[in-house]
Amino acid sequence: MRDMELSSDQSGRDDNRPVWSRTLGFWHVIFYAVLAMTMVTSLFDNLTAARRTVFVALLVVAALGHWFIGRPAATSRRRRPANVYRLLLIACCGGAVALYPQSIFLLFVVCPQIWLLAERALEGIFFSVLLLTVVGAGELYAAGWTWDSFWGTLPWLLVSLMTTILLGVWTDQVIKQSEQRGDLIAQLESTRDELAEAHHASGAMAERERMAREIHDTLAQGMTSIVMLAQTAQVELQRGRSDPAGTKLAAIEETARENLAEARALVAAFTPVALSGATLTEVLRRQAERFAAETGVDVQVSLDLPDEEVAVLPQGQQVVVLRAAQESLANVRKHAGATQVRITLGIAADGICIEIRDDGLGFEPQAPASGFGLAAMRGRVEESGGTVQVDSAPGRGTRVQVLIPATGQEAS
């Protein structure tokens, strides 16, 4: 018998148990019903008192053996009880047939149990041969051990043996295939659960990366502007210059308000606030003017893309272009020490192109990145199907070029 072990924690999961385990109750009922019917029919036959007593005793022994040996063996993997029970069952069945030949139909419940308890097909075949041999001997004993009875018994004995073996082997193969399918289904379900968990983790990671980019490109840069403006205002106040300090404080207030609006937009997953009420070209001009006012850097803007063409760009592409410009300006503010910046937006052969060039300190593009900004820009642009090219060298300024294909997918 296959994996027959039943435990209390499996009581609510019958469909996951082996085939035999799910039908044991049925076999118990059928076995005792057949024993009872055989015993009742024997009472109406003209058996002697001694034969009837021995016959009933054999059936009782079979019933007790099934309850105390066979039933536990059917729910465990212990081989010795299973073998003992089958030998006892064969002996009782052979003796019953010898005393009362009409009890031959006990084979209908004994043969299935032979195979039910078998671990391998050869084991089932061995016990089947033994069973039919003992039962055939019982038939011959009841018939008087004559050659006529032998030749009369032999055909049905061989047919019964072949039928039992064929059905047993076929059932054994069906059960093996059922268990293999069950194992495969369990593996598929486990793999499905692992994939679902991996997809969930991947989605969560992608969302965290997206939020990190949004926060870096909006809130973090706005906070940087506020800090620098506050430091400048403090210096102006220390020098007694209230007017420049007041201008800086007004810029701080405006930047803080925009940061608050961006934070609310992030929470609501809306379009960037800057693009909600203006075109991309207008927003880029405002960004350039504010940057120039805050840093004193000369910012020149060349927008060769007409507003009507900008308006037809997918919203995601406009966001990518805006964030690329914001990140480039933030890098100029923090690292470049430039005196002049030029922003160019136009149509390239493959799509929309924005270029931010400065005359600052420059850097070595192959050096390990020290911040999150450039990597975030690359990630955002590549998600939209675009490319980022950075040209720089120490002392020679920096040029950042972002190309977004006209058919690129919208950034998420």
Side-chain angles (χ1 to χ4, degrees):
M1 186 183 65
R2 308 299 175 267
D3 184 7
M4 305 290 295
E5 187 171 3
L6 301 176
S7 58
S8 58
D9 64 335
Q10 290 178 311
S11 59
R13 299 178 295 170
D14 290 345
D15 290 341
N16 294 328
R17 290 156 44 200
V19 174
W20 285 122
S21 297
R22 298 199 298 268
T23 58
L24 280 179
F26 168 79
W27 286 110
H28 296 330
V29 173
I30 292 298
F31 180 78
Y32 285 111
V34 171
L35 287 185
M37 290 174 57
T38 305
M39 186 178 297
V40 170
T41 56
S42 69
L43 298 177
F44 297 95
D45 202 286
N46 56 352
L47 295 175
T48 65
R51 279 178 171 255
R52 181 175 288 109
T53 300
V54 175
F55 178 76
V56 171
L58 289 174
L59 296 186
V60 171
V61 169
L64 294 175
H66 179 84
W67 184 261
F68 291 105
I69 304 175
R71 189 174 56 88
T75 56
S76 70
R77 295 183 178 181
R78 299 173 58 190
R79 304 311 309 147
R80 181 174 296 179
N83 294 334
V84 170
Y85 171 66
R86 284 181 288 187
L87 291 174
L88 176 65
L89 200 59
I90 290 171
C92 291
C93 186
V97 171
L99 296 173
Y100 180 49
Q102 287 81 353
S103 62
I104 190 70
F105 56 84
L106 286 173
L107 290 177
F108 288 107
V109 292
V110 175
C111 287
Q113 292 200 42
I114 293 294
W115 285 94
L116 183 148
L117 296 170
E119 284 281 348
R120 298 175 300 275
L122 288 178
E123 181 182 339
I125 293 173
F126 169 76
F127 280 101
S128 295
V129 172
L130 182 60
L131 171 65
L132 269 299
T133 301
V134 172
V135 170
E139 278 280 323
L140 290 177
Y141 172 81
W145 294 103
T146 63
W147 282 107
D148 290 340
S149 61
F150 172 78
W151 293 114
T153 302
L154 184 62
W156 78 258
L157 186 66
L158 293 177
V159 171
S160 299
L161 179 62
M162 294 302 299
T163 303
T164 299
I165 292 175
L166 289 175
L167 287 176
V169 171
W170 176 78
T171 304
D172 182 72
Q173 293 300 317
V174 169
I175 292 175
K176 285 182 178 179
Q177 293 178 2
S178 176
E179 291 177 350
Q180 291 173 355
R181 285 195 295 269
D183 292 340
L184 179 59
I185 290 173
Q187 293 175 5
L188 290 175
E189 290 178 347
S190 176
T191 302
R192 181 190 62 187
D193 294 340
E194 291 175 359
L195 287 174
E197 183 177 353
H199 289 162
H200 175 75
S202 176
M205 180 63 70
E207 182 63 15
R208 284 196 294 268
E209 291 178 356
R210 187 186 73 84
M211 291 301 297
R213 287 198 301 264
E214 293 290 345
I215 291 171
H216 177 273
D217 292 345
T218 56
L219 304 183
Q221 292 178 10
M223 293 299 180
T224 301
S225 297
I226 290 173
V227 170
M228 296 185 68
L229 288 170
Q231 290 173 343
T232 304
Q234 185 177 10
V235 172
E236 296 292 347
L237 289 174
Q238 289 174 352
R239 294 178 179 177
R241 301 176 180 176
S242 58
D243 291 341
T247 302
K248 300 299 183 185
L249 290 174
I252 289 174
E253 181 182 358
E254 182 181 358
T255 303
R257 289 183 182 277
E258 289 190 0
N259 255 25
L260 179 59
E262 287 287 358
R264 289 172 175 167
L266 283 177
V267 171
F270 288 157
T271 300
V273 173
L275 288 175
S276 61
T279 65
L280 176 62
T281 54
E282 292 173 345
V283 174
L284 288 175
R285 287 193 181 95
R286 286 206 302 264
Q287 292 283 334
E289 292 170 358
R290 176 181 299 171
F291 184 82
E294 293 176 355
T295 62
V297 176
D298 179 21
V299 182
Q300 300 179 10
V301 181
S302 177
L303 303 177
D304 298 330
L305 194 61
D307 286 344
E308 57 270 16
E309 293 189 22
V310 172
V312 300
L313 292 178
Q315 190 71 44
Q317 292 184 345
Q318 295 188 46
V319 173
V320 171
V321 171
L322 174 61
R323 297 305 189 211
Q326 289 176 328
E327 176 57 33
S328 298
L329 291 176
N331 288 336
V332 172
R333 182 198 302 268
K334 290 183 287 187
H335 308 297
T339 60
Q340 189 175 65
V341 176
R342 182 176 181 85
I343 302 175
T344 303
L345 175 68
I347 296 293
D350 298 328
I352 301 97
C353 177
I354 186 169
E355 179 182 285
I356 301 91
R357 183 191 298 269
D358 68 73
D359 61 353
L361 300 175
F363 66 98
E364 178 55 56
Q366 302 303 322
S370 59
F372 178 75
L374 189 56
M377 181 197 300
R378 288 187 183 277
R380 185 190 297 276
V381 172
E382 289 173 359
E383 282 182 4
S384 68
T387 58
V388 177
Q389 181 179 352
V390 179
D391 298 322
S392 184
R396 297 179 55 186
T398 302
R399 181 178 71 92
V400 177
Q401 186 180 65
V402 175
L403 175 64
I404 306 296
T407 58
Q409 297 176 348
E410 288 193 23
S412 60

